[in-house]
Amino acid sequence: MTVLIEAQNVEARYGPVLALRGVSLLLREAEVVAVLGANGAGKTTLLRILCAALDPDQGSVKFLGRDIAGSSPDRLVRQGLAHVPEGREVFPLLSVRENLIAGAFVRRDRAAIAADVDRMYGYFPALRERRDRHAAVLSGGEQQMLAIARALMSRPRVLMLDEPSLGLAPALVKEIFTLLRRINRESGVSILLVEQNAHQALSIADRGYVLELGRIVLDDWSERLAANDDVRESYLGIRDKGLRGERRWRRKKRWR
Ligand SMILES: Nc1ncnc2c1ncn2[C@@H]1O[C@H](COP(=O)(O)OP(=O)(O)OP(=O)(O)O)[C@@H](O)[C@H]1O
Ligand SMILES: [Mg+2]
């Protein structure tokens, strides 16, 4: 399989804080890959480096075999790399439809853009219903759907998402993740999914990496990660196979 993204030995600092330490990862054609990590593990820093929003202090990132150093995020979008940032960031005063069209800013094929807007409404019927409303009035879940659909409007080869589950009810997360997997299967877009919600992320990913304090501590097939004792205890909150473990872990995380 063609390698689309290859990060090698990436290091990132914020002043004295070493946020990433020697991170290497691969994303291949048509894969769904999860990057799991708790608060502050370095997930957002890593995604921002992979889409050229931030320069690494050390190491390199290649997209389609070419070093992205010196590239702008816009240029990478043109080359097929789309990014849904943490916190969604839809354009609040544009309508849903205008947000989608804005996502196609790298394209000139108007008829195909209109067809893709329709395709997005097919994936996300709630967006069709609200197509003329300002994005600002959408619920959190609808805004997340819009952010994803808008990114897909550039027809990317790679879609990167920063914690799309944040603040959403579990049933909605499940729905959105199931759709991501379907879009991956139907269009072949590769997905890099950065998440704290390990359970849901691993349920749709082929492979995963576990990031702890800026370091990749595990990387494996999803089923193997989901069965790994350390992952089960730290990220799935499963100690005694009970839901109580999960709740305990969630509470712990909130307090960190
Ligand atoms: N702009 C910044 N200035 C200083 N330190 C930062 C900055 N951004 C992040 N950090 C630090 O770098 C580390 C990694 O942060 P990052 O935001 O990448 O983690 P994260 O895994 O995305 O966390 P979260 O789950 O909270 O989104 C943390 O220790 C964080 O405090
Ligand atoms: Mg983050």
Side-chain angles (χ1 to χ4, degrees):
M1 281 287 196
T2 315
V3 172
L4 299 183
I5 290 189
E6 181 175 14
Q8 267 181 329
N9 268 313
V10 168
E11 250 181 61
R13 290 175 182 281
Y14 297 102
V17 179
L18 196 52
L20 294 177
R21 313 155 190 245
V23 169
S24 298
L25 66 75
L26 285 182
L27 179 68
R28 299 185 185 85
E29 183 113 58
E31 272 191 318
V32 178
V33 170
V35 176
L36 310 175
N39 285 128
K43 303 182 297 297
T44 296
T45 304
L46 178 60
L47 265 206
R48 297 193 66 217
I49 286 174
L50 296 181
C51 73
L54 190 70
D55 290 328
D57 290 287
Q58 292 282 326
S60 68
V61 178
K62 286 183 183 156
F63 175 52
L64 300 173
R66 252 183 290 157
D67 205 308
I68 66 167
S71 258
S72 66
D74 269 16
R75 191 152 126 209
L76 289 182
V77 175
R78 280 172 214 287
Q79 292 168 1
L81 193 154
H83 175 215
V84 180
E86 198 172 26
R88 294 142 204 173
E89 295 183 16
V90 292
F91 301 120
L93 296 182
L94 295 187
S95 70
V96 166
R97 196 176 148 273
E98 288 164 343
N99 265 276
L100 292 177
I101 289 170
F105 72 96
V106 298
R107 300 168 55 187
R108 292 286 169 267
D109 45 345
R110 291 181 66 167
I113 291 171
D116 277 353
V117 168
D118 232 41
R119 198 162 61 91
M120 291 308 139
Y121 291 155
Y123 286 128
F124 305 101
L127 297 183
R128 187 196 300 276
E129 280 168 34
R130 290 166 183 59
R131 59 182 177 266
D132 296 321
R133 314 281 308 262
H134 282 160
V137 304
L138 301 181
S139 69
E142 290 161 356
Q143 287 189 2
Q144 186 62 64
M145 293 177 192
L146 179 56
I148 294 169
R150 188 183 62 186
L152 289 169
M153 285 299 297
S154 65
R155 289 219 175 158
R157 289 182 75 173
V158 172
L159 177 67
M160 304 202 301
L161 304 113
D162 195 346
E163 293 209 58
S165 78
L166 207 67
L168 305 185
L172 194 54
V173 175
K174 192 162 182 200
E175 186 188 326
I176 290 178
F177 280 25
T178 305
L179 266 170
L180 284 174
R181 184 78 224 196
R182 188 176 139 211
I183 292 166
N184 156 263
R185 291 241 165 87
E186 290 180 2
S187 70
V189 63
S190 300
I191 295 180
L192 189 71
L193 177 61
V194 157
E195 264 297 336
Q196 272 191 57
N197 190 331
H199 176 68
Q200 302 255 29
L202 289 177
S203 75
I204 63 156
D206 301 303
R207 295 189 297 119
Y209 295 87
V210 177
L211 194 58
E212 259 177 36
L213 297 173
R215 236 186 258 286
I216 304 271
V217 293
L218 279 170
D219 90 83
D220 213 331
W221 299 104
S222 293
E223 304 85 70
R224 290 172 52 109
L225 284 179
N228 177 294
D229 283 343
D230 292 336
V231 174
R232 286 167 70 84
E233 198 173 317
S234 304
Y235 294 92
L236 301 175
I238 299 169
R239 207 175 298 243
D240 50 9
K241 290 192 173 163
L243 246 182
R244 243 184 313 142
E246 171 117 40
R247 290 216 192 92
R248 203 181 319 126
W249 164 250
R250 290 195 178 287
R251 205 170 311 134
K252 203 164 81 196
K253 266 200 315 201
R254 221 174 296 142
W255 284 100
R256 271 156 49 121

